[in-house]
Amino acid sequence: MAALLAGAASANAATRGAPTLPSRDGDLARDFSAVDRNTVWNQVDKIKLNFPTYHTEGLAITPDHLFLSSVQIIEPTQKYPSPVGGYDRTPGRGLGHLFVMDRQGHLQKDITLGEGDMYHPGGISYDGTNVWVPVAQYRPNSSAIIYRVNAQTLGVTKQFEVKDHIGGIVLDQTTGHLVGNSWGSRRFYDWTLQGQQVRTWDNPSFFTDHQDCQYVPSAKMICGGITNLPQTPTAGGSNGTYELGGLTMIDLRSHNILREVPFQKWSTAGHVMTRNPVKMSARGNQLTLWAAPDNGDEGNGTELFTYQATVQR
């Protein structure tokens, strides 16, 4: 596991301090463009996280640490019979966590993030220097805080606030802008680092709701996601949903879907791998994927799975 993480960390560290990345694609964009439904993914490692992880959300891999975002629910939200003040549910109560681990998965620090009703961390990403974390209300069409966490010092900076639920974020390293997605990833936002909104666009795909994303050179991002689909009536109908997992590569200039493939590997608790945190790296024609789909109170608790695949391109 340490060797696999070191490879991904080295690739990230190479961009540290650079204002932009090369305009041509790297191994990850090229390799992912060759992934299809027949790609063989082999599990090569699994780490049990031996601390309370609650409901996992996002993963970031740096040269020194693993970062895992999570929400601890104290009071669940409750749906209103009809909208109240523009909201479809109560705010609930909870705590937002950013767990800092060594590369073997041992907890080193628990950073709590959020303010008031904004306690739900989303998908996170690492830009070579900082880990970016959105912390939102646990309801759509609400609000969020965008945090910047220095990956070495672990210093936390509140970057800006947004008037929507933001469930994931990446730094576009060709523009220096942040790109975030709303509840269910139905809408994307582009902001300057000062929080000025540059543009928005609707998600053209309904294949999955993106859960955790990462920047991919050049001017792309890859997101893992999930959709709960109803079963046939004999299998329970809408009460017997099926988890469809998938991975999507998006062009950050045209906003087009460049590649979209299912990922049907299952966790100890029976969840699809792309349900919660997902990150990828590539070296040559070998892809590595990390995923932590299970919450702390499910199955064997949260486990960090590692898969690899070799592609022809």
Side-chain angles (χ1 to χ4, degrees):
M1 180 69 179
L4 297 174
L5 292 173
S10 297
N12 283 331
T15 68
R16 185 175 294 166
T20 61
L21 290 178
S23 59
R24 60 189 180 89
D25 287 345
D27 282 345
L28 182 51
R30 292 193 295 268
D31 284 357
F32 190 76
S33 294
V35 173
D36 59 27
R37 288 189 299 179
N38 297 316
T39 299
V40 177
W41 292 90
N42 296 306
Q43 182 182 322
V44 296
D45 202 358
K46 181 174 67 174
I47 293 177
K48 172 74 168 69
L49 302 184
N50 291 311
F51 58 90
T53 54
Y54 309 109
H55 176 34
T56 58
E57 297 288 344
L59 176 69
I61 299 171
T62 79
D64 302 312
H65 304 291
L66 302 177
F67 290 83
L68 180 73
S69 61
S70 175
V71 58
Q72 177 185 357
I73 303 301
I74 298 172
E75 176 187 308
T77 61
Q78 300 291 330
K79 282 288 192 74
Y80 293 124
S82 59
V84 175
Y87 299 119
D88 71 345
R89 68 195 71 190
T90 64
R93 290 192 304 119
L95 287 175
H97 298 270
L98 183 64
F99 298 118
V100 185
M101 298 167 277
D102 64 21
R103 294 192 303 191
Q104 289 72 46
H106 304 123
L107 182 65
Q108 296 178 314
K109 188 172 184 179
D110 178 0
I111 301 172
T112 57
L113 298 172
E115 296 178 5
D117 292 339
M118 294 178 285
Y119 58 84
H120 185 290
I124 65 178
S125 63
Y126 173 58
D127 66 7
T129 301
N130 300 300
V131 177
W132 295 92
V133 186
V135 181
Q137 293 190 47
Y138 208 159
R139 50 186 178 177
N141 306 311
S142 55
S143 59
I145 300 171
I146 308 303
Y147 288 99
R148 170 170 52 90
V149 180
N150 186 287
Q152 289 189 313
T153 67
L154 306 183
V156 176
T157 300
K158 179 180 176 180
Q159 198 75 11
F160 56 85
E161 293 191 22
V162 179
K163 292 182 179 179
D164 199 357
H165 173 103
I166 303 302
I169 197 164
V170 302
L171 178 73
D172 182 344
Q173 296 187 27
T174 60
T175 64
H177 291 182
L178 291 164
V179 177
N181 56 267
S182 68
W183 182 278
S185 67
R186 294 304 93 206
R187 176 174 289 271
F188 292 98
Y189 292 90
D190 183 316
W191 307 283
T192 67
L193 291 183
Q194 293 71 43
Q196 180 182 353
Q197 184 175 300
V198 178
R199 63 181 62 85
T200 69
W201 69 95
D202 291 337
N203 188 345
S205 173
F206 294 88
F207 177 60
T208 62
D209 292 344
H210 306 317
Q211 302 294 308
D212 198 19
C213 301
Q214 67 187 92
Y215 177 77
V216 178
S218 171
K220 299 171 179 64
M221 66 179 176
I222 290 178
C223 302
I226 183 175
T227 300
N228 286 296
L229 299 175
Q231 294 278 24
T232 62
T234 56
S238 59
N239 293 322
T241 57
Y242 166 76
E243 291 185 355
L244 175 64
L247 299 162
T248 305
M249 185 161 67
I250 302 166
D251 190 303
L252 292 174
R253 297 294 167 270
S254 68
H255 307 152
N256 292 332
I257 303 296
L258 301 177
R259 196 74 168 180
E260 199 164 37
V261 293
F263 193 89
Q264 293 304 105
K265 295 291 184 178
W266 307 95
S267 71
T268 302
H271 294 293
V272 72
M273 278 292 155
T274 57
R275 175 195 184 212
N276 288 325
V278 176
K279 285 296 182 289
M280 300 182 71
S281 72
R283 179 175 292 178
N285 64 342
Q286 185 177 73
L287 283 162
T288 300
L289 178 145
W290 296 271
D294 292 345
N295 297 331
D297 60 354
E298 298 177 313
N300 194 37
T302 300
E303 298 170 309
L304 179 60
F305 293 83
T306 307
Y307 284 86
Q308 287 188 331
T310 301
V311 297
Q312 300 299 320
R313 56 178 172 88

